[in-house]
Amino acid sequence: QVQLVESGGGLVQPGGSLRLSCAASGNIFSTYTMAWHRQAPGKKRELVADSTSGGSANYADSVKGRFTISRDNAKATVYLQMNSLKPEDTAVYYCNVVVRGTAGGALNAYWGQGIQVTVSS
C-alpha cells in the first residue's frame, strides 16, 4: 500500500505564492506520472499539472506561466509552485501518483487526501 501526504496549502492574498508538496511512502519500487488536480466548490475535479517519468510536464491552460510542477524521484515527492495566485485558483488540491510496487509488478494510482488552497484578500 502507498500513502500520500500533502502539505503547503493555506490562505494567501491574490498575487501571492504557495508551494504544495506531496510525499509518497510505502510499497514503492518506482514512480511514474505524478500530478496535481484540483476541485473547486460545485465544479468537477480538473487536472492542474502532471510530470511524467520521462521528464516532461503538462499544464492546464489556466495555470500556464504561473504554476510549476517538479519532482524528486529519490524522495518520491512531487511539488507544485504556485505564483501569481488568483481567487479562481481557490480549490482543494489533490496529488495523484502512479507507482510500481515491485519490479515487474503492476502500476497503481493513488490519491492524496486533498489540501485547501484559498486565494482571497
Side-chain angles (χ1 to χ4, degrees), residues 10-16 85-88 90 117-121:
L11 173 65
V12 64
Q13 292 186 341
L85 282 160
K86 304 176 181 180
E88 51 263 44
T90 296
V117 171
T118 302
V119 185
S120 175
S121 54

Side-chain angles (χ1 to χ4, degrees), residues 87-112:
E88 51 263 44
D89 295 318
T90 296
V92 177
Y93 284 71
Y94 299 88
C95 68
N96 170 242
V97 176
V98 177
V99 305
R100 194 184 300 279
T102 59
L107 294 175
N108 290 292
Y110 298 90
W111 288 88

Side-chain angles (χ1 to χ4, degrees), residues 30-34 50-57 71 73 98 107:
S30 57
T31 56
Y32 289 82
T33 301
M34 306 179 85
D50 64 31
S51 170
T52 68
S53 56
S56 64
R71 60 193 286 168
N73 291 325
V98 177
L107 294 175

Side-chain angles (χ1 to χ4, degrees), residues 1-88:
Q1 200 51 283
V2 173
Q3 297 78 42
L4 301 181
V5 177
E6 298 154 337
S7 61
L11 173 65
V12 64
Q13 292 186 341
S17 298
L18 284 174
R19 188 190 192 211
L20 304 183
S21 299
C22 174
S25 62
N27 190 24
I28 300 172
F29 176 76
S30 57
T31 56
Y32 289 82
T33 301
M34 306 179 85
W36 288 95
H37 298 247
R38 69 185 180 186
Q39 187 167 18
K43 294 187 176 181
K44 293 182 178 180
R45 189 174 298 189
E46 63 175 354
L47 175 67
V48 176
D50 64 31
S51 170
T52 68
S53 56
S56 64
N58 301 288
Y59 297 91
D61 288 342
S62 59
V63 307
K64 283 181 180 177
R66 300 188 297 121
F67 291 11
T68 302
I69 190 170
S70 60
R71 60 193 286 168
D72 184 333
N73 291 325
K75 296 181 179 179
T77 299
V78 61
Y79 306 94
L80 186 68
Q81 178 66 44
M82 304 185 293
N83 299 328
S84 302
L85 282 160
K86 304 176 181 180
E88 51 263 44

